Amino acid sequence: MAGSADVFAIGVGQVPVGEHWELSIRDLAVEAGRRALADAGLARVGAVYVGNMLAPTVNGQQHLGALVASWLGQRQAEAVTVEAACGSGGAALRQGYLSIRSGAHEAVLVLGVEKMTDCVNGTTTAALAMAADAEYEAGLGLSFVAINALLMRRYMYEFGVPRQAFARFAVLAHANALGNPMAMFRKEVSVAEYMRAPFVADPIGLLDSSPMADGAAAVVLASGELARSLGRGQVRVAGSAVATDYLALHDRLDPLDLVAVRVSTARALGQAGLSITDVSFFEPHDAFTVMAVLCLEACGFAGRGEACALAARGHFDRGGALPICTMGGLKARGHPVGATGVYQAVEAVLQLRQEAGACQVQGAKVGLIQNVGGSGATAITHVLVRE
Amino acid sequence: MALQLPREWRWRQERYRLIGGRCRRCGQAFFPHREICPRCLGEDVAKEQFSGRGRVYSYATVYKAPVGFEEYVPYVVALVQLEEGALVAAQLTDVDPTEVQIGMPVECVLRRWRTNGPDGNIIYGYKFRPRLES
Amino acid sequence: MPAMRPSRPIGILGYGAYIPRYRLQASEVARVWHGGQDHVPIAQKAVAGPDEDAITMAVEAARNALARAGIAGERLQAVWVGSESHPYAVKPSSTIVAEALGAGPLALAADVEFACKAGSEALQMAVALVGSGMADCALAIGADTAQGRPADELEYTAGSGAAAFVVGLADEAVALLEGSVSYVSDTPDFFRRGQEHYPRHGGRFTGEPGYFAHVLAAGRELLSSLGRSPADYAYVVLHQPNPKFPARAAAELGFRPEQWQPGLLVDRIGNTYAASSLLGLTAVLDRAEPGERVFFVSFGSGAGSDALSLVVTEKLPLRRHQAPATASYIARQQLLDYATYARFRGKIAL
């Protein structure tokens, strides 16, 4: 897109991930949005893009774009909801990026919000299964966890990897979350605890799984001109790409090859003029440990079947060659599904601004963030760089 | 629970008889049927009733069921690779979770998927069980 | 009165059995309800799994019958399903079964209800349709997931199973129909009211005025009208609510144990109601040789019996291996404890 505008992330805001019994979905969104606007030093934006997955089923609310924009003091702004299952936040970021890049707006607010604790029975579990193919997976009793468990079992079989090898990803996510005040779980877990935890869908245990949670996160994107005028030109969005695949595992010729992840990563890095060796840290979509493994391998950060072995050597720890889940990841920061992609962006901005506190990755210059919808059907990858 | 009678009724032949598709150009078999081959993107595809015989490609045991499936917990779900080559996601039935292995021969049977509550419709469809000796 | 005979030669083109995988031992029922101190009528009964019902079992039995007949479902001009446990009170099981088999849409389909005689009544309907020349191919199924009230003596035996028969023209038959007799009367030995989950029964009243009166009358009438004696038959199969009734009735008709034992399955699978006598017939067809005759009498409470005389053709040995033997379904078994059984069969209110 020669001649089109550069895109900068000029403000971020987030609320703690957790069970917010007294806060509604609009309360969460407004709080995160106000924090991001305050951080950017901006009162008004041209557009609001809201990433959300579950509001129609769990909260009984559609039309979040206008709802959130107006309650945030952005009446008359362009606003829509963006939905790509658990990738909704990343998809909203992509829409915000396109909006600035095209010149349609000078500044936009990208906001991910999810309020998962409004229902008290299995409704949320059933709603999450809508990320999968309703007629050929969810409709016959495959929970979303079970679909990921099918991937994990096949992976263990094809590559001869024992279940215990996946524990390392839960352990490192929890260790990294200790320093993140916004994380849901700020406590360490051990391999022994991982092995003792009950199964949700064997081979996926409780500690393979990211938790259901409430949360909201927001990023203000702006053109280079506006960013520099505000003194907020530190973090540029250098690459942005989305790729898709079949929703159902059985429609993919090789279910363990996350094609959409592979393609979106290559496109985003290509736009940034970078390669995977330039990446300082990676925020994968570790909704389940097996998804962290498959994403690392599809991106090219590990050879096929090798991610667990690399993890065992400390490769992905904060001091390792490629830190991942630097502020806890989906596993320990929490996974408020439609908000997660925006949390990843907020965390990447904090890392690149050297504001990640105890979670800081030393010398972070290039961050790769990746939000996945379903079991790999939508992959949204962004490259953020420190200017 | 909402009655979605047209939606469940629409798939009856495909679900009762495991009718999928095959690409006439590249020979790939797939389930369900669709207009564009998932392998070669060819558009010359035909419906085909599959044999129902296959092997377990992957499996998982569900302990936390979605709404409507609680009465079956724990139950086993699987990806089954049919003799024709297509993969199908389905529940396994008549099997203990500890018996299941990747590569285990299975065959298709018609079973209840779920009911729409005590006064709602009953939804039937394909499941797979360990293959019987004939 | 002479036996009923078809207007043209017809027979059974294929037969199929289905017995679910699970078993409940009678001793387990006695342990839970009688402190183990009760006389149990059988060793164990077959129990449908949580995702099974009369429809799913009927489909598998029918697929086995079609496999042995060597025909596709689209050739069926009638699909009749006899059961006292149709999953819907209103909505035919038979259309679901027909769709699953690929039968129709140009076909007859209906559900039949006559307690344990519903399956053989469906068979008589198929015989009539094909025997009259109105159609060339019809399917009759008996299938039940029978329910006994917890702690009632029926709970020992009320089992699950299905059997199916494709009726067609004689030149393709594995067994020819020689003639039949049906015998009914108003006898309230056992019944279930419309909105009730469990049946009531008359205890010992189900014996003499019920089972024996009808089975013996229909059986004697058929033997006499065909001019046959029990010695003309290699096998006899009777409805089997328990092991004692069919043994005593067969003996009273003049049959010997070696004639009834091959078709007497109740000790291992219980009383499968509409499938009970029909499953006995499948077990006999699994072993009968060309030229051998089979004498069959069903019984359904309420009450009535269908008696049929069959003779095996040379095609049977060629066809029987096209589907699983009844014995292989009986051998496939997983024992349940009473709690799991109660859960599987919806006896625990959630």
Side-chain angles (χ1 to χ4, degrees):
Chain A
M1 272 194 236
S4 50
D6 281 341
V7 180
F8 285 78
I10 66 166
V12 294
Q14 54 180 333
V15 299
V17 178
E19 295 171 320
H20 293 286
W21 302 113
E22 300 199 16
L23 299 180
S24 71
I25 188 167
R26 81 180 72 185
D27 294 333
L28 292 167
V30 166
E31 183 60 28
R34 291 182 70 190
R35 290 183 187 188
L37 289 167
D39 185 48
L42 207 59
R44 300 281 294 176
V45 292
V48 178
Y49 299 98
V50 180
N52 174 269
M53 173 182 178
L54 300 172
T57 42
V58 175
N59 316 111
Q61 180 71 62
Q62 294 263 29
H63 213 169
L64 287 182
L67 177 82
V68 170
S70 57
W71 278 64
L72 256 175
Q74 307 293 320
R75 286 176 76 189
Q76 301 166 31
E78 175 180 339
V80 289
T81 310
V82 182
E83 190 277 321
C86 339
S88 297
L93 185 65
R94 167 70 175 166
Q95 292 307 308
Y97 171 90
L98 289 175
S99 175
I100 301 295
R101 190 108 173 109
S102 69
H105 293 286
E106 284 292 303
V108 301
L109 180 71
V110 173
L111 193 148
V113 62
E114 206 71 73
K115 174 70 191 169
M116 298 178 77
T117 60
D118 267 0
C119 293
V120 293
N121 55 22
T123 304
T124 309
T125 302
L128 286 169
M130 292 182 188
D133 191 315
E135 311 291 3
Y136 301 101
E137 292 182 328
L140 38 85
L142 279 79
S143 63
F144 192 59
V145 183
I147 290 165
N148 283 273
L150 291 172
L151 288 173
M152 184 165 167
R153 176 92 62 193
R154 184 71 195 180
Y155 185 95
M156 291 161 62
Y157 171 82
E158 278 196 23
F159 300 112
V161 174
R163 182 169 175 266
Q164 184 168 330
F166 291 80
R168 187 61 187 246
F169 290 93
V171 170
L172 82 82
H174 277 258
N176 288 348
L178 283 176
N180 179 5
M182 297 291 167
M184 183 168 185
F185 295 135
R186 299 181 68 193
K187 67 183 178 73
E188 290 189 280
V189 299
S190 66
V191 174
E193 286 170 304
Y194 171 93
M195 294 303 286
R196 273 202 307 273
F199 284 118
V200 183
D202 183 5
I204 288 186
L206 203 57
L207 290 181
D208 288 293
S209 315
S210 56
M212 289 190 194
D214 305 329
V219 176
V220 179
L221 298 180
S223 65
E225 194 177 340
L226 180 60
R228 281 184 286 274
S229 75
L230 292 168
R232 278 297 197 182
Q234 301 99 317
V235 179
R236 183 168 63 89
V237 183
S240 169
V242 182
T244 56
D245 198 354
Y246 285 108
L247 265 62
L249 293 186
H250 61 257
D251 284 330
R252 306 181 198 158
L253 298 177
D254 177 359
L256 295 182
D257 179 15
L258 298 185
V259 173
V261 167
R262 179 154 49 84
V263 170
S264 74
T265 303
R267 285 181 188 159
L269 284 170
Q271 290 165 14
L274 298 169
S275 75
I276 57 168
T277 55
D278 297 314
V279 175
S280 319
F281 65 94
F282 175 43
E283 296 297 338
H285 190 86
D286 59 323
F288 301 95
T289 52
V290 67
M291 282 304 287
V293 167
L294 293 178
C295 289
L296 283 164
E297 295 179 5
C299 289
F301 290 121
R304 289 195 74 178
E306 293 173 0
C308 289
L310 283 177
R313 294 201 291 272
H315 191 82
F316 303 120
D317 293 350
R318 186 178 296 130
L322 178 75
I324 68 169
C325 306
T326 64
M327 301 188 78
L330 280 62
K331 173 70 200 78
R333 173 237 296 129
H335 182 29
V337 285
T340 288
V342 187
Y343 273 100
Q344 291 176 321
V346 168
E347 291 163 359
V349 168
L350 294 177
Q351 288 286 7
L352 295 170
R353 286 196 205 157
Q354 316 293 318
E355 293 173 7
C359 296
Q360 186 63 50
V361 173
Q362 296 308 315
K365 288 188 66 176
V366 177
L368 191 77
I369 61 175
Q370 189 165 71
N371 196 196
V372 174
S375 55
T378 299
I380 305 128
T381 307
H382 284 89
V383 181
L384 280 69
V385 299
R386 189 174 79 214
E387 290 291 73
Chain B
M1 236 178 279
L3 284 184
Q4 299 185 318
L5 300 179
R7 183 182 155 205
E8 303 298 349
W9 164 81
R10 191 171 299 129
W11 312 110
R12 64 199 179 284
Q13 294 199 344
E14 169 184 290
R15 286 179 178 177
Y16 294 175
R17 288 151 65 190
L18 203 64
I19 292 171
R22 187 185 291 278
C23 176
R24 289 202 183 96
R25 188 165 85 181
C26 76
Q28 178 75 28
F30 39 85
F31 184 90
H33 176 263
R34 69 206 69 190
E35 299 301 322
I36 299 172
C37 170
R39 189 166 85 175
C40 76
L41 305 182
E43 298 186 17
D44 185 12
V45 292
K47 286 196 175 182
E48 179 172 325
Q49 180 168 352
F50 294 134
S51 65
R53 288 185 298 276
R55 290 177 182 274
V56 172
Y57 180 87
S58 190
Y59 66 98
T61 307
V62 177
Y63 292 96
K64 299 274 185 246
V67 174
F69 295 91
E70 300 90 339
E71 65 180 295
Y72 304 122
V73 171
Y75 59 90
V76 183
V77 300
L79 289 173
V80 172
Q81 184 140 41
L82 300 175
E83 283 181 350
E84 291 85 357
L87 277 180
V88 182
Q91 279 192 36
L92 300 187
T93 188
D94 288 357
V95 71
D96 296 328
T98 53
E99 294 172 41
V100 186
Q101 290 190 326
I102 289 176
M104 184 173 82
V106 292
E107 62 189 357
C108 188
V109 292
L110 183 78
R111 293 294 170 96
R112 284 184 178 206
W113 279 1
R114 64 183 175 86
T115 62
N116 257 320
D119 63 347
N121 58 318
I122 305 166
I123 298 159
Y124 296 93
Y126 50 83
K127 293 189 184 183
F128 290 81
R129 71 165 173 218
R131 211 178 292 173
L132 295 183
E133 298 307 320
S134 182
Chain C
M1 203 191 247
M4 295 186 284
R5 294 172 190 268
S7 303
R8 54 179 181 163
I10 64 162
I12 292 165
L13 305 192
Y15 65 95
Y18 177 73
I19 298 162
R21 173 183 189 237
Y22 301 101
R23 301 286 180 275
L24 180 66
Q25 292 182 314
S27 59
E28 177 72 355
V29 179
R31 178 184 72 80
V32 170
W33 291 113
H34 304 287
Q37 298 300 307
D38 197 18
H39 174 73
V40 299
I42 58 171
Q44 59 186 30
K45 66 174 182 177
V47 179
D51 60 356
E52 297 189 280
D53 59 25
I55 289 173
T56 64
M57 297 195 305
V59 168
E60 180 153 347
R63 284 178 173 160
N64 287 335
L66 288 170
R68 285 200 176 96
I71 65 168
E74 65 194 19
R75 277 193 47 197
L76 297 171
Q77 292 165 277
V79 175
W80 285 315
V81 182
S83 180
E84 64 102 76
S85 43
H86 292 290
Y88 290 95
V90 177
K91 160 83 182 88
S93 301
S94 53
T95 55
I96 298 170
V97 173
E99 192 87 52
L101 300 176
L106 284 172
L108 288 156
D111 294 1
V112 181
E113 192 281 311
F114 195 144
C116 298
K117 189 175 98 76
S120 64
E121 182 76 34
L123 181 58
Q124 288 287 60
M125 291 161 63
V127 164
L129 188 78
V130 178
S132 71
M134 287 179 66
D136 290 340
C137 199
L139 176 69
I141 307 170
D144 261 312
T145 54
Q147 299 273 349
R149 184 184 302 278
D152 187 281
E153 62 186 289
L154 274 183
E155 193 176 29
Y156 289 123
T157 54
S160 300
F165 294 85
V166 178
V167 176
L169 300 180
D171 54 359
E172 284 300 312
V174 298
L176 303 176
L177 177 78
E178 298 188 306
S180 67
V181 161
S182 288
Y183 181 98
V184 299
S185 77
D186 173 12
T187 306
D189 57 326
F190 169 106
F191 52 81
R192 177 164 64 83
R193 295 280 298 278
Q195 303 298 319
E196 292 297 310
H197 192 54
Y198 297 113
R200 303 289 302 270
H201 59 85
R204 291 184 56 77
F205 179 59
T206 61
E208 294 299 339
Y211 184 88
F212 291 104
H214 295 80
V215 168
L216 295 176
R220 286 176 178 141
E221 185 66 30
L222 184 59
L223 285 171
S224 132
S225 64
L226 292 178
R228 292 255 172 71
S229 76
D232 296 325
Y233 291 90
Y235 301 99
V236 59
V237 178
L238 304 183
H239 176 55
Q240 37 204 271
N242 55 53
K244 282 184 183 170
F245 279 22
R248 192 185 124 193
E252 287 192 26
L253 286 169
F255 291 96
R256 301 179 314 281
E258 55 269 33
Q259 290 169 289
W260 74 67
Q261 277 161 352
L264 194 59
L265 313 178
V266 60
D267 191 53
R268 285 161 287 169
I269 62 172
N271 176 6
T272 55
Y273 282 49
S276 173
S277 53
L278 296 178
L279 273 172
L281 182 54
T282 66
V284 162
L285 291 175
D286 277 343
R287 55 187 283 160
E289 293 301 321
E292 289 185 329
R293 287 199 163 81
V294 181
F295 193 77
F296 170 93
V297 190
S298 67
F299 171 72
S301 291
S305 286
D306 300 308
L308 286 82
S309 178
L310 300 164
V311 59
V312 171
T313 75
E314 73 289 347
K315 294 201 166 54
L316 179 58
L318 309 173
R319 301 262 193 81
R320 64 167 58 117
H321 300 296
Q322 299 302 311
T326 304
S328 68
Y329 281 111
I330 293 174
R332 179 186 77 133
Q333 55 175 273
Q334 173 74 39
L335 292 181
L336 299 177
D337 57 27
Y338 191 90
T340 308
Y341 157 76
R343 183 184 161 182
F344 277 11
R345 297 320 302 159
K347 294 177 190 298
I348 299 174
L350 295 178

